[in-house]
Amino acid sequence: MFTGIIESVGKVKSMQPIGGDIRLTIESDELDFSDVKLGDSIASNGICLTVVDFGSNHYSVDVSRETIARTALNELKAGHIVNLEKAMLPTTRFGGHIVAGHVDGVGMVSKLQQDARSIYIEIEIPQELAHYTATKGSITVDGISLTTNLVRDNIVSLNIIPHTAQVTNIAKHWPVGAKVNIEVDIVARYLERLINKSAASSMNAPSPQSQITEAFLADNGFMK
């Protein structure tokens, strides 16, 4: 589980094909590796990946074909900057929102312009994810917890403050046309599941048996 508050950025060192999968190695001089262990989860551009090897300033993860197909990982090349966040601890300050690191789809930056000191960005997300978003709601883009300005159909608009632009990969790797990983608010997904299940249960429930019988009507003077 993550919060969407980026701890540091890293650089793609290599992407090695292995048996149809990819061994991805990321190096970072900023990430604290003192408590990293084999099997730990590190969100890399919003993708929850398991550490299979690490050193003093790098870690490696295996990426399955399923993850490759559902994310913008294929857009990465050696030297690309990625956002990093280690899995949260029970004592972690919850600065963003609940992020699972399970990418729902790939979006595309469709507009980018300066807006005073911030950056105004519009992202086109997959149509099937649009109903999980809301104006002033939360969305995760490349692992960053962001608040939406406005949602129009499947276009999400955002304002990126200078600090966020400085400590993430936005400035270097979010030009117009860039592909980005999208994770919608997990609470919205669970609410939809609960509502649909409740509606289905109501439809399948047997109709209540009427307590009004001929005997009841006769006893209460409705029949002669």
Side-chain angles (χ1 to χ4, degrees):
M1 194 67 69
F2 307 92
T3 69
I5 302 300
I6 303 304
E7 294 184 57
S8 70
V9 294
K11 183 183 294 185
V12 175
K13 184 177 182 180
S14 64
M15 295 181 68
Q16 179 186 1
I18 302 179
D21 296 333
I22 290 177
R23 173 68 61 86
L24 172 63
T25 299
I26 295 173
E27 57 185 3
S28 175
D29 293 325
E30 301 175 16
L31 190 70
D32 180 10
F33 284 87
S34 64
D35 59 350
V36 172
K37 306 183 297 297
L38 289 179
D40 279 359
S41 295
I42 299 179
S44 311
N45 264 11
I47 311 168
C48 178
L49 298 170
T50 301
V51 174
V52 297
D53 185 38
F54 70 96
S56 60
N57 72 337
H58 73 275
Y59 67 94
S60 296
V61 294
D62 286 331
V63 187
S64 69
R65 286 185 292 181
E66 169 73 5
T67 300
I68 295 169
R70 289 184 174 271
T71 68
L73 191 139
N74 272 332
E75 302 290 315
L76 296 181
K77 295 179 175 59
H80 270 207
I81 303 300
V82 292
N83 300 316
L84 307 179
E85 181 188 358
K86 294 184 290 187
M88 65 182 294
L89 301 171
T91 55
T92 302
R93 178 176 290 145
F94 210 131
H97 71 281
I98 300 173
V99 176
H102 303 155
V103 173
D104 293 302
V106 176
M108 183 185 74
V109 177
S110 58
K111 186 174 183 178
L112 184 148
Q113 64 187 39
Q114 201 68 32
D115 183 13
R117 293 175 58 242
S118 65
I119 303 172
Y120 174 82
I121 294 177
E122 290 185 358
I123 297 177
E124 182 179 340
I125 67 174
Q127 191 70 51
E128 64 271 18
L129 299 180
H131 70 284
Y132 295 111
T133 61
T135 297
K136 299 305 178 184
S138 296
I139 192 169
T140 308
V141 185
D142 269 1
I144 311 167
S145 172
L146 296 170
T147 300
T148 61
N149 290 341
L150 185 67
V151 178
R152 304 189 314 276
D153 192 23
N154 67 324
I155 303 297
V156 175
S157 65
L158 310 159
N159 266 76
I160 311 299
I161 63 172
H163 173 77
T164 303
Q166 182 180 356
V167 300
T168 66
N169 68 349
I170 292 174
K172 291 188 177 181
H173 292 301
W174 283 25
V176 171
K179 302 292 182 61
V180 289
N181 294 316
I182 301 293
E183 181 184 334
V184 297
D185 191 346
I186 193 170
V187 175
R189 278 204 173 277
Y190 278 114
L191 281 174
E192 180 186 56
R193 171 73 171 167
L194 288 169
I195 291 169
N196 287 345
K197 185 173 178 59
S198 176
S201 298
S202 298
M203 291 177 64
N204 295 328
S207 299
Q209 295 296 314
S210 174
Q211 300 301 310
I212 300 177
T213 62
E214 286 190 14
F216 174 86
L217 294 172
D219 290 343
N220 288 274
F222 291 100
M223 294 180 66
K224 296 181 180 180

